[in-house]
Each structure stands twice: as C-alpha cells, then as structure tokens.
Amino acid sequence: DLHLSIRRQRQMCIRDRSDVLGLPSASRPHRLHIKSSRNNTIVTFTMPTGEPLVGESGGTVGFKKAQRSGYEAGYRAAVRVFQHIVAHRAQWGVKDIEVLWNGFGQGREAVFRALQASEGENVRQMVLAMTDKTPIKIGGVRPKKRRML
C-alpha cells in the first residue's frame, strides 16, 4: 500500500513539472514535445496535464520511408504544428509554452531553426522554458560475451 502511494507520487512529479518552473499549478504552461530519432521527428503540442492537442511527424506531412528522418520533414512538421497553435490559441487558452526536446536526430536542428524563422515567431514569443529530456546512458547495458576461437 505504501509502495503504491510512493509510485503514484513519483508519477505525479514526473507529470507535474510546475515545481521545476516555480509556477502555481493553475498557471502551468502548455508543452511542445519534440522527439527526434534517427528515423523520424515527432512534434506534439499538449495541454499542461499532458493530453495531446495536435501532433505531426515527418510521415504525416507527406514524407515517406527514409525521407521522414530528414531536415525538411522535421521543419515542415514543426511549421504545421505552429500553424495549429496560432489558429487555436484562444480556444485552447495558450499563454505560455514549455519546449521539451528528446533525441539527437536531424529533425531536432530543423525544429529549432523553424522556431527561429518567421514561421515560428508567434510561437517563439510564448516560449517560457526549453528543457532537454534526452536520456543519457552512463555505463549502458552489459556487452555480449567475447567470442572464443
């Protein structure tokens, strides 16, 4: 019973990042998640609680197979999400945005450049914080045993 309550508290801390930003829970920012892998870039805009509002990826903007991982695919996915944010800003009640980066693919740089460009100007003004949540392996997993010949 105690174990479950501790687990629940940890999950709430992971979901609720307002304590990190030093904000009251009522004025938490919306989040823009950018997951950039070797094969694709996924840009998702979520409510402060974590429910997704709009999401785009290299595939949903029209790129197929290996092209999804490219710079242009990440740029277009970011621009399309920015357009959604600007169009529905009042409806969703967007005041501030926290940007969460994950991964080291080509799309990471593309989304950053899109945010700097004229297409991302309206969104850039709302950005409150940028956080890199890429997991970094220290030590890693145990390697396979050596081959004996």
Side-chain angles (χ1 to χ4, degrees):
D1 195 37
L2 178 66
H3 179 70
L4 287 175
S5 67
I6 292 171
R7 182 186 288 174
R8 225 176 262 125
Q9 285 176 349
R10 279 194 192 138
Q11 288 173 345
M12 292 304 286
C13 287
I14 291 167
R15 270 191 243 127
D16 179 18
R17 298 182 52 82
S18 62
D19 57 338
V20 175
L21 296 172
L23 297 169
S25 58
S27 65
R28 289 184 296 175
H30 284 67
R31 295 186 193 152
L32 183 64
H33 297 267
I34 293 109
K35 184 183 186 324
S36 181
S37 68
R38 254 184 314 157
N39 303 317
N40 204 351
T41 302
I42 302 167
V43 183
T44 311
F45 186 66
T46 66
M47 297 283 288
T49 54
E51 295 124 38
L53 294 170
V54 63
E56 297 288 340
S57 69
T60 60
V61 293
F63 291 90
K64 298 294 175 208
K65 303 281 182 175
Q67 297 169 339
R68 286 185 304 226
S69 65
Y71 183 94
E72 186 63 26
Y75 192 93
R76 291 223 193 130
V79 168
R80 189 157 322 159
V81 169
F82 296 163
Q83 289 168 349
H84 279 286
I85 292 170
V86 171
H88 301 295
R89 183 178 178 179
Q91 181 185 346
W92 294 336
V94 182
K95 293 185 188 98
D96 298 319
I97 297 174
E98 179 187 12
V99 183
L100 300 169
W101 303 90
N102 190 354
F104 293 113
Q106 287 183 336
R108 181 187 178 108
E109 184 69 22
V111 174
F112 186 73
R113 294 278 182 240
L115 201 56
Q116 295 291 315
S118 60
E119 293 96 336
E121 189 172 345
N122 293 327
V123 175
R124 187 173 64 236
Q125 292 169 356
M126 293 185 276
V127 171
L128 190 69
M130 287 194 179
T131 308
D132 190 345
K133 59 174 192 151
T134 306
I136 296 171
K137 295 183 192 94
I138 299 169
V141 296
R142 182 175 169 153
K144 289 178 75 173
K145 68 178 184 180
R146 292 188 106 159
R147 238 177 109 199
M148 300 290 181
L149 291 175

